[in-house]
Amino acid sequence: MPTNPTSNSPKEVASRSAQYTVAVALVAGLGGVMFGYDIGVIADAKKGVEKAFGLETNAGNNLLVIQTIVSSVLAGSFLGALSAGRLCDKIGRRWTNVWGGGFFVVGCLGCALAVTPSMMIAFRVVMGIGVGFSSVAGPLYIAEIAAPWSRGAMVSLYQLAITVGIFLAMLLGIWLTPSDLWRLAFGLGAILGAGLILGMLAMPPSPRWLVGKGRDTMALSVLKRTMGSIPAAEEELEAIKQKVEEESGTNFLKALASGRALKVALVLAIGLAFLQQASGINAIFYYAPEIIEGIGLKDIEFKLTAALSLVNLLATFIAIYLVDRMGRRPLLIGGTILMMLGQIVVGIAYLWLPEMGTGDTTTNEVSIAGIIILAAIFVSVIAFACSLGPLVWLVISEIFPAGVRSVCVGLASSANWVGNFFIAQGSLSLVDYNAGVAFWIFAGFNLFTIAFVWYLMPETKGVELEKIEDFFKGNGAKERA
Ligand code: BGC
């Protein structure tokens, strides 16, 4: 590939920029792998943990202890995401990622070596803090490093990394669960955190953060690499400097009080982050084995769950390819419609399968309705992977003005963790009571999401980060491209 730094042919500029930003996105993406690994690992390790700590029966508060071990990571992620915004401003996006990796390493090793359930819970919180840091600093760092024309694809690499993490954990689970090697599964997670620390230390700070700290020369040298040419870098530096000057002295509360724009952007980001969870994607991932068992496919439920996570991974490539070509709105709206339709089909098919819809797993036969349910769940996962999965992380990391961006991304990301927590807690009983009803509820939330995006979300494809906030100054609906 040609890399002559003085050549300004558009093709070479784009190729130089792409090489560099892909490398940056891949390193920051290790945080996404941690995120996904942490979702997937507990699903399979749960049985081994129960056995190790004598929590297998429903006696006493065993169930509560197990539920707390599963969900404590979400509490940690919420706390991590909430504090990561301020940290991203103070120490920078890159160092917040490094700390995220550090917490994850300590949390994973602590879980691997835990000798009591309380130790396990405490270290799951620590793992969660690491993931929470990365869920803010990862997409933010990539969005600020990427060139406008490839920002969508680059931030979507973070989502791809999440799906790789889920898949890896589920794949490992197939081997590790029966052989009681759950401690190894946690221990292996530490490698991801260590990779993030080392990789990030080799990366440059975000140019937007550097300008905010008055380090313009260094910002320019980073921009030369990310934009692929000197003139483009100088132009971008000027735009960033202008914004930073306009925003100097602004803090979050002042900015919030100063007009409509930030309020609308915040409602959009927090709403989208929460609605991504209300789509029910994690009810599928957390409880797929139970759902699959419930439709009569008893012996292959873990393999099919791993297949679901593989499809989730592969379908993310569709979003990576389309997001900077087709734009954010059509992809998000189209994908959410498809996910909703898939869930409606699941809901209808459960009506034909009433005895299984109530969680009866006594039969070993799969009916036509069962096959339809399975196929429609696959369609819903593919639709999520092309839309709500990557697009939510992208939109929340690109719609805010630089001065308050990290605090706002932190708030939106913590709303995502709150949603994740409620879905994890609520869906088990709902799926147990009637899985069909659960899918109708998720379809209802997706209908709301479609209307929400339609009315509130501007098209930000190819627009420079510094110009995106203008969309929210006027009538958002009218200014949609
Ligand atoms: C969500 C996760 C989810 C994953 C599935 C992410 O965008 O935030 O909660 O498990 O997608 O791929």
Side-chain angles (χ1 to χ4, degrees):
M1 213 165 273
T3 50
N4 170 11
T6 51
S7 162
N8 285 329
S9 103
K11 220 170 148 197
E12 289 189 29
V13 166
S15 131
R16 274 198 304 271
S17 158
Q19 286 170 19
Y20 190 69
T21 36
V22 165
V24 168
L26 289 181
V27 170
L30 274 174
V33 184
M34 274 168 29
F35 181 149
Y37 191 80
D38 144 286
I39 290 178
V41 75
I42 195 65
D44 295 320
K46 207 162 58 200
K47 283 208 170 85
V49 172
E50 285 170 1
K51 207 162 137 201
F53 298 127
L55 301 165
E56 286 156 296
T57 63
N58 280 349
N61 54 4
N62 283 359
L63 205 65
L64 182 69
V65 175
I66 271 292
Q67 245 176 17
T68 316
I69 291 178
V70 173
S71 54
S72 47
V73 78
L74 300 175
S77 302
F78 168 74
L79 292 175
L82 207 59
S83 42
R86 299 234 170 261
L87 214 57
C88 279
D89 277 341
K90 275 211 150 62
I91 62 171
R93 288 72 167 128
R94 189 174 68 119
W95 273 101
T96 309
N97 272 306
V98 171
W99 275 100
F103 273 99
F104 198 72
V105 171
V106 174
C108 282
L109 295 179
C111 285
L113 301 172
V115 287
T116 62
S118 350
M119 256 180 96
M120 190 83 200
I121 292 170
F123 282 108
R124 290 274 293 157
V125 173
V126 176
M127 268 175 89
I129 295 178
V131 172
F133 277 10
S134 142
S135 72
V136 176
L140 189 63
Y141 179 69
I142 303 174
E144 291 189 344
I145 287 263
W149 57 84
S150 64
R151 192 175 57 239
M154 292 306 131
V155 181
S156 301
L157 284 181
Y158 185 81
Q159 170 69 15
L160 182 72
I162 297 179
T163 65
V164 169
I166 299 179
F167 178 62
L168 262 182
M170 295 206 169
L171 208 57
L172 272 178
I174 296 181
W175 293 302
L176 297 187
T177 308
S179 49
D180 212 15
L181 288 173
W182 62 272
R183 289 184 189 273
L184 183 62
F186 277 108
L188 287 176
I191 298 177
L192 299 173
L196 182 64
I197 298 175
L198 295 177
M200 269 293 157
L201 287 175
M203 292 291 142
S206 145
R208 277 144 181 104
W209 181 78
L210 284 169
V211 173
K213 298 282 168 200
R215 292 158 69 184
D216 297 4
T217 321
M218 190 168 178
L220 182 64
S221 80
V222 179
L223 284 168
K224 277 183 202 158
R225 283 178 275 172
T226 60
M227 302 297 291
S229 81
I230 296 170
E234 285 169 348
E235 201 184 308
E236 185 68 6
L237 181 68
E238 275 318 303
I240 300 176
K241 273 165 67 179
Q242 200 184 325
K243 271 285 160 216
V244 169
E245 251 163 53
E246 277 170 29
E247 288 169 7
S248 78
T250 315
N251 65 30
F252 174 65
L253 291 178
K254 265 197 216 159
L256 197 63
S258 72
R260 175 177 185 275
L262 186 59
K263 293 190 192 88
V264 179
L266 211 51
V267 168
L268 175 64
I270 293 181
L272 268 183
F274 185 83
L275 289 168
Q276 186 204 48
Q277 294 300 321
S279 73
I281 187 65
N282 284 328
I284 298 180
F285 281 120
Y286 292 147
Y287 305 113
E290 283 84 354
I291 296 173
I292 294 168
E293 214 182 306
I295 56 174
L297 289 163
K298 251 188 194 162
D299 301 327
I300 48 168
E301 73 271 27
F302 284 112
K303 289 198 179 107
L304 278 174
T305 307
L308 268 176
S309 63
L310 178 61
V311 162
N312 182 36
L313 187 165
L314 295 176
T316 309
F317 283 101
I318 305 177
I320 294 176
Y321 180 75
L322 289 178
V323 67
D324 291 313
R325 293 180 168 82
M326 196 178 181
R328 282 64 164 149
R329 278 173 56 86
L331 206 53
L332 188 47
I333 294 176
T336 313
I337 291 178
L338 186 62
M339 184 174 192
M340 179 187 74
L341 292 179
Q343 291 168 325
I344 292 176
V345 171
V346 175
I348 294 173
Y350 264 110
L351 297 176
W352 295 336
L353 205 69
E355 76 287 5
M356 293 178 186
T358 54
D360 178 356
T361 57
T362 50
T363 169
N364 237 337
E365 274 175 28
V366 56
S367 61
I368 304 250
I371 301 281
I372 293 177
I373 290 174
L374 189 64
I377 290 179
F378 269 89
V379 170
S380 292
V381 168
I382 293 173
F384 174 89
C386 302
S387 56
L388 280 162
L391 272 278
V392 166
W393 295 109
L394 170 61
V395 171
I396 67 177
S397 58
E398 70 179 6
I399 58 172
F400 294 108
V404 291
R405 187 175 294 140
S406 42
V407 174
C408 295
V409 176
L411 286 175
S413 176
S414 33
N416 187 269
W417 290 110
V418 171
N420 200 327
F421 177 79
F422 282 116
I423 294 295
Q425 293 292 316
S427 343
L428 183 57
S429 2
L430 198 58
V431 167
D432 216 34
Y433 164 69
N434 189 322
V437 170
F439 280 90
W440 281 110
I441 295 177
F442 296 138
F445 273 118
N446 277 333
L447 182 63
F448 179 79
T449 304
I450 295 160
F452 184 79
V453 172
W454 178 265
Y455 285 107
L456 231 52
M457 195 179 111
E459 179 55 70
T460 46
K461 176 184 97 174
V463 184
E464 273 126 49
L465 279 188
E466 286 64 40
K467 297 193 180 137
I468 291 182
E469 60 170 305
D470 295 343
F471 283 111
F472 297 101
K473 288 194 172 142
N475 178 344
K478 267 198 208 133
E479 293 189 35
R480 286 192 304 260

